Amino acid sequence: MTAPVQEPAADGAAQFCDQCGAPAAEPGHERCAARRTLEPPRFCPQCARRMVVQVDPFGWTARCSRHGETHS
Amino acid sequence: MSISTTTLSDRPGDPGRSDILAVAREQVLERGEGLTREQVLEVLQLPDESLDDLLALAHDVRMRWCGPEVEVEGIISLKTGGCPEDCHFCSQSGLFASPVRSAWLDVPMLVEAAKQTAKTGATEFCIVAAVRGPDERLMGQVAAGVAAIKDAVDINVACSLGMLTPDQVTRLAEMGVHRYNHNLETARSYFPNVVTTHTWEERWETLRLVREAGMEVCCGGIVGMGETLEQRAEFAAQLAELTPDEVPLNFLNPRPGTPFGDLEQMSGPDALRTVAAYRLAMPRTVLRFAGGREITLGDLGARQGLLGGINAVIVGNYLTTLGRPAEADIDLLGELQMPIKALNETL
C-alpha cells in the first residue's frame, strides 16, 4: 500500500497522494479525491510516509516523522 | 416472541406489506410495545414507496415516547490504532494493512476536546480506545482524563474501552463514568463473519456487568456489513432484549485495507428503513445517528433521520474519519425545532 519513500521535490510541491500514498502524478486517484472531504490525510504528501493522525471532534493533526505536523 | 398479525405475501415490495404500518401504529405508537423480530423484518422489506409513511410513523413514535429533545454527543479517540482484534470493518485493527497508525492523546488535549464539545450544547462526551480491553496504563489514563474533564467541563463522560473485567467495571463507575458503550456490532448469527478474535457472548457479558454496576448501557452496531435483512431484524430484536439506554446506529463506511474495504455502501433508502425499523423495535431508547451517515445518506440524511426516528447525534468528527461540521447539525436542530437535551435532564 505504501509507496516507496522519496525525498520531497525541491519546490516543496506534493509528490504523493495524502490518501493512498501513491505518486500524485499517477492516474487513478478519483476515489482518493472523493474520500478527502471526509478523511484526514494519512500519508505525507512530500515523502509518502504514513503519518500519525489524531482526529478530534472539530479537527485533526497529522504528523510526519520527517516533515513535521500539519493540522486542519 | 409473538408473530405478526398481518397477512403477507413473501414477495418483497408487495403493497400488502404496508399493513405492518397499521399494526405498528397501534402496537408501538399507541401502546409503546416494540416490534418483534418478525415484524421488524416486514418493515425492512417495505418498498421504497412506503418509505415516507414509515419514516413519519417512526418520527411519531419517537415524539410520543421520547419527546422532541435531541441528545448531542462528541466522541474522541484516546488510543488510536494498533488493536489486536480483527473486527473486519475497523481501520484500527493492527492485523490489517490500514493506513491508520497508533496514537495516544494526552489529558490536556482530552480536556480541550471536551470543552469544545460542550460549547456546542452537547451533554455527552465519549472517550474511546481501540483495544480488546483496557490494561492498567489505559485505566490510569482514563481515570486522569475523566477527573480532569469533570474539574473543567460540565458534561457527562462516557467511555468505550472494549471488554471489561468486573473490577474494571467497578472502577469506571467509581470514576463517575455514567454510560459505557460496547457495541454488539451485528446479529449474533452474523458476528463470526465480522469478528473472530472474540465472541458476541463475551461482549454481552461486559454489557451485563455494566448494567449491574449501575452505569447506563450504550450498545449498537453497524449495518451494511453484508448481513441479510433477516439478520438485521435479528439484531434489532437482540438489542431490544438488552434494553440499552442508547443505541448508536452506524452505517458501514468501507475502510481501505480492511476485509470489508471493498463492500458496497448500503443504499440511502435501506439506511433510512433501518433507522425507522430500529425505532419501531425500541420506541423508548436514545437512537443515535453515528458513523457513516454522511457517505450513506449525504447532507439530506441528517434531516431525514431526525424526522424518521433518530433522537441523538454525534456532532463533529468521528474517531478516525471526519463528520459534518457540528454547526450544520446544531443549525438543523434549530430549524426542525428540536431542542438539544439539557444536561440536567440526563443526570
Side-chain angles (χ1 to χ4, degrees):
Chain A
M1 168 168 293
T2 307
V5 174
Q6 298 179 14
E7 291 303 308
D11 61 1
Q15 289 192 94
F16 299 97
C17 173
D18 62 5
Q19 294 296 311
C20 71
E26 283 184 357
H29 291 289
E30 294 80 7
R31 286 185 72 181
C32 300
R35 190 179 291 143
R36 196 167 283 120
T37 56
L38 290 171
E39 298 280 350
R42 293 290 171 193
F43 295 88
C44 177
Q46 295 186 61
C47 67
R49 282 182 174 82
R50 268 198 316 160
M51 296 191 290
V52 175
V53 178
Q54 178 70 54
V55 175
D56 67 41
F58 306 101
W60 52 261
T61 58
R63 183 168 47 81
C64 169
S65 59
R66 176 70 64 89
H67 296 103
E69 189 170 290
T70 54
H71 56 84
S72 56
Chain B
M1 240 172 229
S2 64
I3 302 297
S4 165
T5 55
T6 52
T7 304
L8 300 169
S9 103
D10 289 334
R11 286 172 290 140
D14 188 300
R17 288 185 178 273
S18 61
D19 290 354
I20 186 63
L21 295 181
V23 172
R25 183 169 296 280
E26 191 281 326
Q27 175 179 322
V28 189
L29 181 61
E30 300 304 324
R31 290 192 279 123
E33 181 187 327
L35 294 187
T36 65
R37 172 175 172 171
E38 293 78 7
Q39 290 171 323
V40 169
L41 179 58
E42 291 176 28
V43 170
L44 293 172
Q45 291 172 330
L46 283 170
D48 287 354
E49 305 85 76
S50 300
L51 185 56
D52 287 346
D53 290 342
L54 170 63
L55 293 172
L57 175 59
H59 181 61
D60 288 347
V61 167
R62 166 264 175 120
M63 295 295 277
R64 168 84 186 268
W65 297 105
C66 301
E69 294 84 9
V70 174
E71 191 182 272
V72 176
E73 177 184 53
I75 61 173
I76 187 86
S77 179
L78 174 61
K79 185 257 175 188
T80 302
C83 182
E85 303 304 291
D86 73 345
C87 307
H88 291 14
F89 54 83
C90 185
S91 64
Q92 299 195 64
S93 171
L95 303 177
F96 310 139
S98 157
V100 174
R101 285 188 63 185
S102 296
W104 278 80
L105 197 66
D106 61 25
V107 170
M109 291 172 71
L110 199 58
V111 172
E112 181 58 28
K115 283 181 180 174
Q116 295 300 320
T117 299
K119 282 182 183 173
T120 66
T123 55
E124 298 283 325
F125 184 70
C126 189
I127 300 168
V128 184
V131 291
R132 175 182 173 88
D135 58 14
E136 271 309 302
R137 178 191 179 198
L138 179 58
M139 287 296 286
Q141 185 87 337
V142 169
V146 171
I149 291 169
K150 286 183 171 292
D151 278 348
V153 192
D154 202 13
I155 197 164
N156 287 324
V157 179
C159 283
S160 181
L161 313 172
M163 292 180 284
L164 302 175
T165 65
D167 175 63
Q168 289 169 334
V169 172
T170 302
R171 289 163 65 190
L172 288 171
E174 288 172 353
M175 287 175 205
V177 173
H178 92 117
R179 185 179 293 174
Y180 192 80
N181 165 261
H182 196 46
N183 289 340
L184 287 167
E185 305 298 7
T186 191
R188 187 176 186 172
S189 69
Y190 193 63
F191 193 85
N193 298 82
V194 179
V195 184
T196 68
T197 47
H198 59 269
T199 65
W200 195 90
E201 290 75 14
E202 286 176 275
R203 290 190 177 223
W204 184 277
E205 174 61 11
T206 287
L207 293 161
R208 187 187 66 77
L209 293 171
V210 166
R211 167 149 301 141
E212 267 185 13
M215 284 186 282
E216 290 187 3
V217 172
C218 171
C219 179
I222 306 173
V223 291
M225 295 196 290
E227 74 280 3
T228 63
L229 289 187
E230 286 78 5
Q231 286 166 323
R232 214 170 280 168
E234 175 194 340
F235 186 39
Q238 287 160 344
L239 287 173
E241 182 184 347
L242 180 68
T243 60
D245 299 280
E246 176 193 334
V247 174
L249 194 54
N250 299 271
F251 308 96
L252 181 71
N253 177 357
R255 310 309 306 150
T258 66
F260 288 171
D262 292 325
L263 288 185
E264 294 276 324
Q265 288 166 30
M266 73 188 297
S267 74
D270 272 351
L272 291 170
R273 254 188 299 272
T274 306
V275 165
Y278 277 45
R279 168 55 68 202
L280 297 178
M282 294 170 280
R284 294 174 180 80
T285 197
V286 173
L287 185 59
R288 189 179 304 282
F289 242 159
R293 66 177 160 119
E294 290 84 357
I295 63 158
T296 303
L297 291 163
D299 278 342
L300 275 178
R303 176 187 298 271
Q304 291 171 303
L306 284 162
L307 293 171
I310 291 290
N311 69 331
V313 292
I314 290 174
V315 287
N317 297 330
Y318 302 101
L319 302 176
T320 63
T321 60
L322 310 181
R324 273 160 50 96
E327 313 83 63
D329 280 339
I330 300 301
D331 290 349
L332 178 60
L333 295 181
E335 184 188 326
L336 297 175
Q337 299 185 312
M338 293 181 182
I340 297 174
K341 186 186 278 188
L343 193 60
N344 60 6
E345 292 177 59
T346 65
L347 293 176

